[in-house]
Amino acid sequence: MVQRNIVTYIILSIVTCGIFGIYWYYCIANDLYNARNQTIPTTPIVTIIVNIVTCGIYGIYVYFKWGQVMPEICAEKGVTVEDRSIVYLLIS
């Protein structure tokens, strides 16, 4: 996964009226999809399209699922982290 500067991404999302936010969402989805060796059920593009069609409701579910997948990915890399899926759900 690529290290990203979250402050820059937030500023770019605001300046571009959310268009950069869609790209940012794609990058996160793509990183997780590749880290799980394509075992996440949907591709990043499908995730974005379904999120747009459902007016963001699917995005809330996806953030929760990403929060559950992240500890598994970190465990594969030898790093221990706790499941923060509820935090991701509340923030989304």
Side-chain angles (χ1 to χ4, degrees):
M1 287 191 221
V2 178
Q3 290 281 37
R4 294 184 175 90
N5 185 345
I6 192 166
V7 174
T8 303
Y9 276 40
I10 290 172
I11 290 170
L12 285 171
S13 292
I14 292 169
V15 169
T16 62
C17 299
I19 294 171
F20 188 81
I22 295 170
Y23 171 74
W24 185 10
Y25 190 84
Y26 171 81
C27 288
I28 294 170
N30 192 43
D31 286 347
L32 290 173
Y33 184 74
N34 290 331
R36 291 297 294 165
N37 298 322
Q38 289 78 23
T39 58
I40 292 179
T42 60
T43 64
I45 295 294
V46 172
T47 302
I48 290 172
I49 291 171
V50 173
N51 191 28
I52 291 170
V53 168
T54 62
C55 299
I57 294 170
Y58 183 70
I60 295 169
Y61 169 74
V62 167
Y63 283 129
F64 177 73
K65 293 307 282 181
W66 288 349
Q68 291 178 331
V69 168
M70 192 58 86
E72 296 171 13
I73 294 171
C74 291
E76 291 171 2
K77 306 289 184 197
V79 179
T80 304
V81 296
E82 58 186 67
D83 184 346
R84 296 191 178 179
S85 54
I86 298 297
V87 174
Y88 293 164
L89 179 67
L90 294 173
I91 290 174
S92 68

